[in-house]
Amino acid sequence: MTTGETIVLDFFDKLLPSEWEIYIQPHLNGLRPDFVILNPEVGIGIYEVKDWDLDAMRYEVREYHRDYKELWAMPRDGRSFKVENPFDKIRRYKEAIFNVYCPRLQQKAGFGAINAGLIFPFANASRVQALQAHFLKDNEKERRAEFWPIVGREELASERMAAAVPLLQREGKGYMRPELADDLRGWLVEPDFAQKQRQPLKLDTVQRNLAETRTSSGYRRIRGPAGSGKSLVLAARAAKLIDEGKDVLIVTYNMTLWHYLRDLVVRARKGEPDGRAKSNGRRLDLSVPGRELGGRSGRLTFTHFHYWCGDVCWNSGFADEYAKIMRPITKIKNLNLRPREEARQLRPILPAILNHAVPELALKASRAPTSEKYDAILVDEGQDYLPLWWNAIRGALREGGEMVLVADTSQDLYGTAKSWTESAMTGAGFSGAWANLDVSYRLPAELLSLSQNFAERFLPPDSRIIPQPKQEELGISPSTLNWIQCDEQEVVSTCLNAVLAMMKLSGYDRRMSNSDITFLSSSHEVGSQVVDKLDGEPWGISVAHTFAESKGEQNRRKMAFFLGQSRVKATTLHSFKGWEARMLVLHLGHAISPEDKAAAYAAITRLKRDEDGKGSFLTVVCSAPQLSDYGRTWPMFEDRRAPLGTPGWSDQ
């Protein structure tokens, strides 16, 4: 917090009656005010704190046509510039709470149960009020102090809590009730991800040994089922190497996985400074101080495989050849077709170009003397890679370096795992047996058993890896597992209602946040429709998602997708592979091909147990008839399909 925010926290903590709850920088679905205070019997206060020195520069309001106004600052010795308008900001907060996050407040009178205030710890309130007047409606100016309080250094110093929270004078009005406060609390509670981010990684003996050692050849392959800690080992290994001053490259196939792995690396470094994170659209560079070794610091780079291919070709003198290979794709993209038509024309040419031609050129480019080299290259979700891709990346390894591949062949979403024969493994530099991680720590005990059942029923015997429970498991991680079988035409409404129902589980008492809710869909179309309905009337729920019509916009959204966003999350099954969440709504629409079934298995196993007793929650909305009998084995099963013989009914 800033100095001013610390002063305000002490002010609230000391003087507010004990019935008031204080939330510091709550997520509030992405709004992030500095403070929210809540009394379930009285009302809500929402505050922005500004450490502005009004003597250091002059502030003025500039008015434009149609009553549009801006706040400008003018330094005494510089050019004026527009500043963020805190008066508009607190109005947006108040309207969002009234209309979206606490919608059952009584009309008109209920709006008065919300104080939206500004606190300037280092300025006089009267000077701020003069600016505020420009942004108040005529009917608000007379009751400004009652509903739009301004607090300055004098009010703070003299402990005038009534000036800061006029609601204290309105106790007993009855506009606020405990059940209405519950509507809001789910948006105020700190998300599970934010709490976990402050904690160091926990590794068992096997995981720690893999993270802290290397093989004699430098090549290591690790396999394990969902939740066994493969990504944790990879992140901990990266953390150790950069602390030794090594340059490390982490390569993924799924670009949304970057942020998750980066956060694991930060946790593995036990709170040490994580340097600067930059995204240039191609890769995410994490420059880390590390421990000095040989006069230089370690550097961690994240990249998506095909972005790396483009980079290494362009930077190693193969730009013309790369452009020539990509020309058929570029030609179609330049036609400005509708997204579906563009996808239809690209579909038959992409495999030959992206799976073979581009990696083959990248293989040549990576071996060029001018290509960028690394001391270690770590590959997550290795089952998504072809041996050719791995060998291309090997060219970026410095002599004497190390390479690690982690994989779960049960999650073979692209049908590539079968390419990794023992012969291919030998040609990729591996020798000896796989290092195995057998125990699944992530899955709640009940879901672990259901996942084993799914793998045994639907996944090929030669590639499935069955997750095993921890020995002497006490079953202290409660879970709520619900399977809803429905017709395809009811999927969108059923998914929407499942997300809304999940929100009723959140709140202060349960210590769960709506920002922990993640919706996954096997269909871009279904996912987009659900997001649109959540964002529209009457819900107005802002969602961090990856759904878009064009592939380019999808990729942009994937680059920006991370669990730390303080909103409900939504993406595809494929984009969430490798991640985890404690509150999941999952849509399964197809289960015909082996890849469909692998995707369903990967999605089901994204649920994370909670060992603090708060529980984890998973609702599956399934329109794939092939999975109906399996769904009946779940603790809660609902069959909402139309009765047999109803017009339009089908068992296919």
Side-chain angles (χ1 to χ4, degrees):
M1 293 187 294
T2 67
T3 302
E5 289 166 351
T6 302
I7 292 172
V8 173
L9 174 59
D10 292 340
F11 175 76
F12 281 148
D13 193 34
K14 177 181 178 182
L15 300 175
L16 272 178
S18 60
E19 295 81 11
W20 286 82
E21 302 164 12
I22 303 173
Y23 296 87
I24 307 165
Q25 298 173 350
H27 286 70
L28 198 57
N29 202 26
L31 294 179
R32 299 306 294 268
D34 292 322
F35 291 93
V36 171
I37 60 174
L38 171 65
N39 186 323
E41 303 287 350
V42 179
I44 304 160
I46 186 164
Y47 296 87
E48 276 290 298
V49 180
K50 296 299 179 186
D51 290 14
W52 294 0
D53 179 357
L54 300 187
D55 293 322
M57 61 182 71
R58 185 166 62 90
Y59 292 85
E60 70 172 22
V61 177
R62 298 185 183 181
E63 298 191 21
Y64 302 90
H65 61 286
R66 297 182 181 176
D67 296 325
Y68 178 69
K69 302 172 184 178
E70 293 178 343
L71 187 63
W72 283 69
M74 286 152 287
R76 298 187 184 280
D77 56 353
R79 296 180 60 182
S80 60
F81 57 93
K82 186 173 70 171
V83 298
E84 182 182 57
N85 189 335
F87 307 106
D88 282 346
K89 203 170 187 180
I90 60 172
R91 183 178 296 279
R92 291 198 304 272
Y93 291 160
K94 181 167 180 171
E95 290 174 349
I97 287 178
F98 181 71
N99 293 318
V100 179
Y101 307 118
C102 209
R104 292 189 288 169
L105 273 171
Q106 182 182 343
Q107 286 292 326
K108 294 185 179 180
F111 199 60
I114 307 170
N115 279 165
L118 286 172
I119 303 178
F120 283 65
F122 308 110
N124 291 329
S126 59
R127 297 176 66 180
V128 182
Q129 290 165 5
L131 293 171
Q132 180 193 33
H134 296 273
F135 300 97
L136 291 176
K137 300 174 184 178
D138 290 339
N139 64 337
E140 294 172 340
K141 292 179 180 178
E142 292 183 2
R143 305 183 70 179
R144 176 204 59 76
E146 186 177 356
F147 299 116
W148 306 90
I150 300 292
V151 176
R153 57 188 166 202
E154 294 177 356
E155 289 78 8
L156 293 174
S158 58
E159 299 186 347
R160 292 168 55 188
M161 179 57 69
V165 189
L167 284 169
L168 291 171
Q169 311 301 317
R170 304 185 68 198
E171 295 194 22
K173 294 290 186 179
Y175 301 130
M176 192 69 185
R177 301 191 304 277
E179 61 269 24
L180 306 186
D182 286 338
D183 293 341
L184 181 62
R185 285 191 181 108
W187 296 107
L188 296 175
V189 175
E190 183 182 37
D192 178 72
F193 177 83
Q195 298 174 35
K196 293 294 187 290
Q197 189 60 20
R198 295 194 297 272
Q199 303 171 6
L201 292 184
K202 295 180 180 179
L203 303 179
D204 66 18
T205 303
V206 176
Q207 293 167 342
R208 186 162 299 282
N209 179 63
L210 292 173
E212 295 183 352
T213 64
R214 62 169 279 169
T215 63
S216 57
S217 68
Y219 282 74
R220 171 171 275 157
R221 47 179 172 164
I222 304 170
R223 65 182 174 190
S228 59
K230 300 182 298 296
S231 296
L232 270 64
V233 169
L234 185 144
R237 183 63 186 158
K240 178 175 174 57
L241 290 168
I242 58 177
D243 279 344
E244 293 174 353
K246 304 291 182 62
D247 292 336
V248 180
L249 176 68
I250 293 182
V251 191
T252 68
Y253 179 73
N254 176 359
M255 66 178 66
T256 56
L257 197 55
W258 298 1
H259 294 290
Y260 177 68
L261 290 173
R262 176 189 177 276
D263 290 328
L264 289 180
V265 173
V266 172
R267 290 178 60 189
R269 301 188 76 229
K270 299 178 182 178
E272 294 176 6
D274 64 326
R276 295 168 285 114
K278 300 179 296 180
S279 172
N280 60 12
R282 283 201 175 276
R283 65 185 183 183
L284 187 70
D285 288 331
L286 181 60
S287 301
V288 235
R291 298 188 181 92
E292 291 300 324
L293 185 68
R296 68 182 185 84
S297 302
R299 182 168 59 91
L300 178 59
T301 299
F302 292 85
T303 186
H304 174 271
F305 174 73
H306 285 101
Y307 282 160
W308 174 82
C309 288
D311 280 345
V312 74
C313 291
W314 279 93
N315 296 331
S316 304
F318 292 81
D320 290 343
E321 293 180 57
Y322 179 78
K324 183 178 179 180
I325 291 173
M326 295 294 291
R327 194 168 296 153
I329 296 176
T330 305
K331 184 178 179 179
I332 292 174
K333 287 184 174 293
N334 288 341
L335 295 176
N336 294 318
L337 302 171
R338 292 181 178 274
R340 287 189 179 181
E341 177 59 22
E342 179 182 288
R344 188 188 69 79
Q345 293 198 26
L346 286 173
R347 195 172 297 117
I349 67 172
L350 286 180
I353 294 174
L354 297 183
N355 290 355
H356 301 287
V358 167
E360 285 170 356
L361 183 63
L363 174 62
K364 292 170 58 179
S366 68
R367 294 177 177 176
T370 55
S371 71
E372 191 168 7
K373 307 296 183 181
Y374 301 87
D375 298 301
I377 300 175
L378 315 179
V379 175
D380 201 5
E381 301 293 339
Q383 72 279 353
D384 296 339
Y385 283 68
L386 294 168
L388 169 63
W389 300 7
W390 169 265
N391 285 323
I393 300 169
R394 287 175 69 189
L397 187 68
R398 290 192 177 112
E399 186 176 352
E402 68 174 281
M403 293 191 71
V404 178
L405 179 141
V406 299
D408 176 6
T409 51
S410 298
Q411 301 182 52
D412 184 18
L413 276 62
Y414 306 101
T416 52
K418 56 181 175 289
S419 302
W420 285 100
T421 62
E422 279 304 313
S423 174
M425 280 286 178
T426 302
F430 296 106
S431 60
W434 285 84
N436 290 304
L437 297 171
D438 299 319
V439 177
S440 178
Y441 291 94
R442 179 173 67 226
L443 300 179
E446 195 166 20
L447 183 61
L448 177 61
S449 175
L450 291 168
S451 300
Q452 292 172 329
N453 184 7
F454 187 100
E456 290 166 353
R457 292 177 65 164
F458 298 110
L459 301 184
D462 57 343
S463 63
R464 68 188 180 210
I465 303 176
I466 305 297
Q468 300 300 318
K470 183 180 179 181
Q471 293 297 318
E472 300 179 359
E473 183 74 62
L474 297 178
I476 59 174
S477 53
S479 59
T480 301
L481 308 175
N482 184 26
W483 188 289
I484 301 173
Q485 194 76 29
C486 67
D487 295 318
E488 188 173 346
Q489 59 268 30
E490 301 299 325
V491 161
V492 173
S493 61
T494 305
C495 288
L496 172 66
N497 290 330
V499 173
L500 296 174
M502 197 78 75
M503 290 181 180
K504 296 180 181 178
L505 302 172
S506 60
Y508 182 76
D509 292 338
R510 288 181 176 268
R511 294 170 291 162
M512 294 189 299
S513 168
N514 288 334
S515 297
D516 288 327
I517 298 172
T518 300
F519 168 61
L520 306 180
S521 178
S522 61
S523 161
H524 278 273
E525 184 176 356
V526 169
S528 183
Q529 290 183 53
V530 173
V531 166
D532 287 345
K533 288 186 176 295
L534 286 169
D535 191 48
E537 297 290 342
W539 312 112
I541 297 169
S542 177
V543 180
H545 66 91
T546 63
F547 300 111
E549 287 193 358
S550 71
K551 187 68 174 177
E553 181 59 21
Q554 288 174 20
N555 288 343
R556 288 184 68 253
R557 290 182 177 274
K558 289 176 182 179
M559 291 288 294
F561 187 86
F562 64 102
L563 288 180
Q565 290 175 301
S566 52
R567 293 182 283 170
V568 172
K569 319 296 189 303
T571 187
T572 62
L573 310 187
H574 290 68
S575 290
F576 206 71
K577 188 163 63 69
W579 294 59
E580 58 186 23
R582 193 161 61 90
M583 302 176 75
L584 270 176
V585 174
L586 168 61
H587 160 236
L588 300 178
H590 303 283
I592 300 174
S593 69
E595 289 77 21
D596 290 339
K597 295 168 184 174
Y601 172 79
I604 290 169
T605 57
R606 294 308 94 201
L607 187 68
K608 179 179 68 172
R609 72 166 65 189
D610 178 76
E611 296 179 351
D612 297 329
K614 293 178 286 187
S616 51
F617 303 83
L618 171 59
T619 296
V620 176
V621 177
C622 180
S623 58
Q626 300 87 352
L627 300 180
S628 177
D629 287 344
Y630 167 74
R632 293 180 186 277
T633 66
W634 279 46
M636 289 180 283
F637 174 81
E638 298 178 62
D639 194 339
R640 299 183 183 178
R641 292 176 295 180
L644 180 66
T646 300
W649 186 91
S650 173
D651 62 352
Q652 300 298 316

mmCIF file with all atom_site columns, all heavy atoms in Angstrom, residues 231-245:
data_model
loop_
_atom_site.group_PDB
_atom_site.id
_atom_site.type_symbol
_atom_site.label_atom_id
_atom_site.label_alt_id
_atom_site.label_comp_id
_atom_site.label_asym_id
_atom_site.label_entity_id
_atom_site.label_seq_id
_atom_site.pdbx_PDB_ins_code
_atom_site.Cartn_x
_atom_site.Cartn_y
_atom_site.Cartn_z
_atom_site.occupancy
_atom_site.B_iso_or_equiv
_atom_site.pdbx_formal_charge
_atom_site.auth_seq_id
_atom_site.auth_comp_id
_atom_site.auth_asym_id
_atom_site.auth_atom_id
_atom_site.pdbx_PDB_model_num
ATOM 1   N N   . SER A 1 231 ? 4.585  -29.648 -13.527 1.00 0.00 ? 231 SER A N   1
ATOM 2   C CA  . SER A 1 231 ? 4.874  -28.223 -13.746 1.00 0.00 ? 231 SER A CA  1
ATOM 3   C C   . SER A 1 231 ? 5.606  -27.624 -12.558 1.00 0.00 ? 231 SER A C   1
ATOM 4   O O   . SER A 1 231 ? 6.441  -26.717 -12.719 1.00 0.00 ? 231 SER A O   1
ATOM 5   C CB  . SER A 1 231 ? 3.573  -27.456 -14.017 1.00 0.00 ? 231 SER A CB  1
ATOM 6   O OG  . SER A 1 231 ? 2.968  -27.888 -15.218 1.00 0.00 ? 231 SER A OG  1
ATOM 7   N N   . LEU A 1 232 ? 5.312  -28.107 -11.358 1.00 0.00 ? 232 LEU A N   1
ATOM 8   C CA  . LEU A 1 232 ? 6.020  -27.618 -10.173 1.00 0.00 ? 232 LEU A CA  1
ATOM 9   C C   . LEU A 1 232 ? 7.500  -27.952 -10.254 1.00 0.00 ? 232 LEU A C   1
ATOM 10  O O   . LEU A 1 232 ? 8.357  -27.116 -9.938  1.00 0.00 ? 232 LEU A O   1
ATOM 11  C CB  . LEU A 1 232 ? 5.412  -28.231 -8.904  1.00 0.00 ? 232 LEU A CB  1
ATOM 12  C CG  . LEU A 1 232 ? 4.276  -27.478 -8.221  1.00 0.00 ? 232 LEU A CG  1
ATOM 13  C CD1 . LEU A 1 232 ? 3.056  -27.395 -9.129  1.00 0.00 ? 232 LEU A CD1 1
ATOM 14  C CD2 . LEU A 1 232 ? 3.907  -28.149 -6.903  1.00 0.00 ? 232 LEU A CD2 1
ATOM 15  N N   . VAL A 1 233 ? 7.804  -29.183 -10.660 1.00 0.00 ? 233 VAL A N   1
ATOM 16  C CA  . VAL A 1 233 ? 9.205  -29.589 -10.796 1.00 0.00 ? 233 VAL A CA  1
ATOM 17  C C   . VAL A 1 233 ? 9.899  -28.720 -11.840 1.00 0.00 ? 233 VAL A C   1
ATOM 18  O O   . VAL A 1 233 ? 11.024 -28.235 -11.628 1.00 0.00 ? 233 VAL A O   1
ATOM 19  C CB  . VAL A 1 233 ? 9.302  -31.077 -11.179 1.00 0.00 ? 233 VAL A CB  1
ATOM 20  C CG1 . VAL A 1 233 ? 10.725 -31.441 -11.586 1.00 0.00 ? 233 VAL A CG1 1
ATOM 21  C CG2 . VAL A 1 233 ? 8.845  -31.947 -10.012 1.00 0.00 ? 233 VAL A CG2 1
ATOM 22  N N   . LEU A 1 234 ? 9.243  -28.522 -12.968 1.00 0.00 ? 234 LEU A N   1
ATOM 23  C CA  . LEU A 1 234 ? 9.836  -27.713 -14.029 1.00 0.00 ? 234 LEU A CA  1
ATOM 24  C C   . LEU A 1 234 ? 10.101 -26.289 -13.537 1.00 0.00 ? 234 LEU A C   1
ATOM 25  O O   . LEU A 1 234 ? 11.172 -25.723 -13.774 1.00 0.00 ? 234 LEU A O   1
ATOM 26  C CB  . LEU A 1 234 ? 8.903  -27.714 -15.243 1.00 0.00 ? 234 LEU A CB  1
ATOM 27  C CG  . LEU A 1 234 ? 9.384  -27.018 -16.508 1.00 0.00 ? 234 LEU A CG  1
ATOM 28  C CD1 . LEU A 1 234 ? 8.904  -27.774 -17.747 1.00 0.00 ? 234 LEU A CD1 1
ATOM 29  C CD2 . LEU A 1 234 ? 8.863  -25.594 -16.572 1.00 0.00 ? 234 LEU A CD2 1
ATOM 30  N N   . ALA A 1 235 ? 9.118  -25.695 -12.832 1.00 0.00 ? 235 ALA A N   1
ATOM 31  C CA  . ALA A 1 235 ? 9.293  -24.330 -12.327 1.00 0.00 ? 235 ALA A CA  1
ATOM 32  C C   . ALA A 1 235 ? 10.396 -24.256 -11.281 1.00 0.00 ? 235 ALA A C   1
ATOM 33  O O   . ALA A 1 235 ? 11.200 -23.311 -11.264 1.00 0.00 ? 235 ALA A O   1
ATOM 34  C CB  . ALA A 1 235 ? 7.970  -23.824 -11.743 1.00 0.00 ? 235 ALA A CB  1
ATOM 35  N N   . ALA A 1 236 ? 10.436 -25.244 -10.383 1.00 0.00 ? 236 ALA A N   1
ATOM 36  C CA  . ALA A 1 236 ? 11.474 -25.241 -9.341  1.00 0.00 ? 236 ALA A CA  1
ATOM 37  C C   . ALA A 1 236 ? 12.853 -25.430 -9.953  1.00 0.00 ? 236 ALA A C   1
ATOM 38  O O   . ALA A 1 236 ? 13.839 -24.838 -9.484  1.00 0.00 ? 236 ALA A O   1
ATOM 39  C CB  . ALA A 1 236 ? 11.181 -26.340 -8.319  1.00 0.00 ? 236 ALA A CB  1
ATOM 40  N N   . ARG A 1 237 ? 12.945 -26.245 -11.003 1.00 0.00 ? 237 ARG A N   1
ATOM 41  C CA  . ARG A 1 237 ? 14.233 -26.421 -11.676 1.00 0.00 ? 237 ARG A CA  1
ATOM 42  C C   . ARG A 1 237 ? 14.668 -25.109 -12.334 1.00 0.00 ? 237 ARG A C   1
ATOM 43  O O   . ARG A 1 237 ? 15.835 -24.718 -12.246 1.00 0.00 ? 237 ARG A O   1
ATOM 44  C CB  . ARG A 1 237 ? 14.127 -27.527 -12.725 1.00 0.00 ? 237 ARG A CB  1
ATOM 45  C CG  . ARG A 1 237 ? 15.461 -27.845 -13.431 1.00 0.00 ? 237 ARG A CG  1
ATOM 46  C CD  . ARG A 1 237 ? 16.482 -28.364 -12.451 1.00 0.00 ? 237 ARG A CD  1
ATOM 47  N NE  . ARG A 1 237 ? 17.812 -28.547 -13.039 1.00 0.00 ? 237 ARG A NE  1
ATOM 48  C CZ  . ARG A 1 237 ? 18.918 -28.579 -12.332 1.00 0.00 ? 237 ARG A CZ  1
ATOM 49  N NH1 . ARG A 1 237 ? 18.880 -28.434 -11.013 1.00 0.00 ? 237 ARG A NH1 1
ATOM 50  N NH2 . ARG A 1 237 ? 20.086 -28.757 -12.913 1.00 0.00 ? 237 ARG A NH2 1
ATOM 51  N N   . ALA A 1 238 ? 13.721 -24.435 -12.978 1.00 0.00 ? 238 ALA A N   1
ATOM 52  C CA  . ALA A 1 238 ? 14.036 -23.151 -13.602 1.00 0.00 ? 238 ALA A CA  1
ATOM 53  C C   . ALA A 1 238 ? 14.500 -22.144 -12.564 1.00 0.00 ? 238 ALA A C   1
ATOM 54  O O   . ALA A 1 238 ? 15.461 -21.395 -12.780 1.00 0.00 ? 238 ALA A O   1
ATOM 55  C CB  . ALA A 1 238 ? 12.812 -22.624 -14.349 1.00 0.00 ? 238 ALA A CB  1
ATOM 56  N N   . ALA A 1 239 ? 13.831 -22.116 -11.414 1.00 0.00 ? 239 ALA A N   1
ATOM 57  C CA  . ALA A 1 239 ? 14.200 -21.173 -10.354 1.00 0.00 ? 239 ALA A CA  1
ATOM 58  C C   . ALA A 1 239 ? 15.626 -21.425 -9.876  1.00 0.00 ? 239 ALA A C   1
ATOM 59  O O   . ALA A 1 239 ? 16.404 -20.482 -9.663  1.00 0.00 ? 239 ALA A O   1
ATOM 60  C CB  . ALA A 1 239 ? 13.220 -21.292 -9.190  1.00 0.00 ? 239 ALA A CB  1
ATOM 61  N N   . LYS A 1 240 ? 15.981 -22.697 -9.704  1.00 0.00 ? 240 LYS A N   1
ATOM 62  C CA  . LYS A 1 240 ? 17.333 -23.016 -9.238  1.00 0.00 ? 240 LYS A CA  1
ATOM 63  C C   . LYS A 1 240 ? 18.377 -22.594 -10.262 1.00 0.00 ? 240 LYS A C   1
ATOM 64  O O   . LYS A 1 240 ? 19.428 -22.030 -9.921  1.00 0.00 ? 240 LYS A O   1
ATOM 65  C CB  . LYS A 1 240 ? 17.441 -24.518 -8.952  1.00 0.00 ? 240 LYS A CB  1
ATOM 66  C CG  . LYS A 1 240 ? 18.842 -24.964 -8.503  1.00 0.00 ? 240 LYS A CG  1
ATOM 67  C CD  . LYS A 1 240 ? 18.869 -26.429 -8.124  1.00 0.00 ? 240 LYS A CD  1
ATOM 68  C CE  . LYS A 1 240 ? 20.283 -26.910 -7.810  1.00 0.00 ? 240 LYS A CE  1
ATOM 69  N NZ  . LYS A 1 240 ? 20.931 -26.115 -6.734  1.00 0.00 ? 240 LYS A NZ  1
ATOM 70  N N   . LEU A 1 241 ? 18.090 -22.837 -11.518 1.00 0.00 ? 241 LEU A N   1
ATOM 71  C CA  . LEU A 1 241 ? 19.058 -22.529 -12.566 1.00 0.00 ? 241 LEU A CA  1
ATOM 72  C C   . LEU A 1 241 ? 19.276 -21.027 -12.728 1.00 0.00 ? 241 LEU A C   1
ATOM 73  O O   . LEU A 1 241 ? 20.409 -20.574 -12.886 1.00 0.00 ? 241 LEU A O   1
ATOM 74  C CB  . LEU A 1 241 ? 18.602 -23.151 -13.890 1.00 0.00 ? 241 LEU A CB  1
ATOM 75  C CG  . LEU A 1 241 ? 18.689 -24.684 -13.960 1.00 0.00 ? 241 LEU A CG  1
ATOM 76  C CD1 . LEU A 1 241 ? 17.961 -25.206 -15.179 1.00 0.00 ? 241 LEU A CD1 1
ATOM 77  C CD2 . LEU A 1 241 ? 20.138 -25.144 -13.971 1.00 0.00 ? 241 LEU A CD2 1
ATOM 78  N N   . ILE A 1 242 ? 18.207 -20.249 -12.689 1.00 0.00 ? 242 ILE A N   1
ATOM 79  C CA  . ILE A 1 242 ? 18.402 -18.801 -12.859 1.00 0.00 ? 242 ILE A CA  1
ATOM 80  C C   . ILE A 1 242 ? 19.092 -18.216 -11.635 1.00 0.00 ? 242 ILE A C   1
ATOM 81  O O   . ILE A 1 242 ? 19.834 -17.234 -11.737 1.00 0.00 ? 242 ILE A O   1
ATOM 82  C CB  . ILE A 1 242 ? 17.082 -18.066 -13.155 1.00 0.00 ? 242 ILE A CB  1
ATOM 83  C CG1 . ILE A 1 242 ? 16.052 -18.271 -12.054 1.00 0.00 ? 242 ILE A CG1 1
ATOM 84  C CG2 . ILE A 1 242 ? 16.526 -18.469 -14.504 1.00 0.00 ? 242 ILE A CG2 1
ATOM 85  C CD1 . ILE A 1 242 ? 14.775 -17.498 -12.283 1.00 0.00 ? 242 ILE A CD1 1
ATOM 86  N N   . ASP A 1 243 ? 18.882 -18.813 -10.457 1.00 0.00 ? 243 ASP A N   1
ATOM 87  C CA  . ASP A 1 243 ? 19.599 -18.353 -9.273  1.00 0.00 ? 243 ASP A CA  1
ATOM 88  C C   . ASP A 1 243 ? 21.087 -18.691 -9.361  1.00 0.00 ? 243 ASP A C   1
ATOM 89  O O   . ASP A 1 243 ? 21.908 -18.096 -8.663  1.00 0.00 ? 243 ASP A O   1
ATOM 90  C CB  . ASP A 1 243 ? 19.000 -18.974 -8.008  1.00 0.00 ? 243 ASP A CB  1
ATOM 91  C CG  . ASP A 1 243 ? 17.759 -18.227 -7.549  1.00 0.00 ? 243 ASP A CG  1
ATOM 92  O OD1 . ASP A 1 243 ? 17.559 -17.096 -8.013  1.00 0.00 ? 243 ASP A OD1 1
ATOM 93  O OD2 . ASP A 1 243 ? 16.994 -18.777 -6.743  1.00 0.00 ? 243 ASP A OD2 1
ATOM 94  N N   . GLU A 1 244 ? 21.429 -19.650 -10.218 1.00 0.00 ? 244 GLU A N   1
ATOM 95  C CA  . GLU A 1 244 ? 22.831 -19.980 -10.450 1.00 0.00 ? 244 GLU A CA  1
ATOM 96  C C   . GLU A 1 244 ? 23.434 -19.157 -11.586 1.00 0.00 ? 244 GLU A C   1
ATOM 97  O O   . GLU A 1 244 ? 24.580 -19.364 -11.980 1.00 0.00 ? 244 GLU A O   1
ATOM 98  C CB  . GLU A 1 244 ? 22.961 -21.469 -10.778 1.00 0.00 ? 244 GLU A CB  1
ATOM 99  C CG  . GLU A 1 244 ? 22.617 -22.387 -9.596  1.00 0.00 ? 244 GLU A CG  1
ATOM 100 C CD  . GLU A 1 244 ? 22.619 -23.860 -9.990  1.00 0.00 ? 244 GLU A CD  1
ATOM 101 O OE1 . GLU A 1 244 ? 22.761 -24.140 -11.215 1.00 0.00 ? 244 GLU A OE1 1
ATOM 102 O OE2 . GLU A 1 244 ? 22.481 -24.715 -9.107  1.00 0.00 ? 244 GLU A OE2 1
ATOM 103 N N   . GLY A 1 245 ? 22.624 -18.231 -12.113 1.00 0.00 ? 245 GLY A N   1
ATOM 104 C CA  . GLY A 1 245 ? 23.126 -17.380 -13.183 1.00 0.00 ? 245 GLY A CA  1
ATOM 105 C C   . GLY A 1 245 ? 22.965 -17.960 -14.573 1.00 0.00 ? 245 GLY A C   1
ATOM 106 O O   . GLY A 1 245 ? 23.548 -17.458 -15.535 1.00 0.00 ? 245 GLY A O   1
#
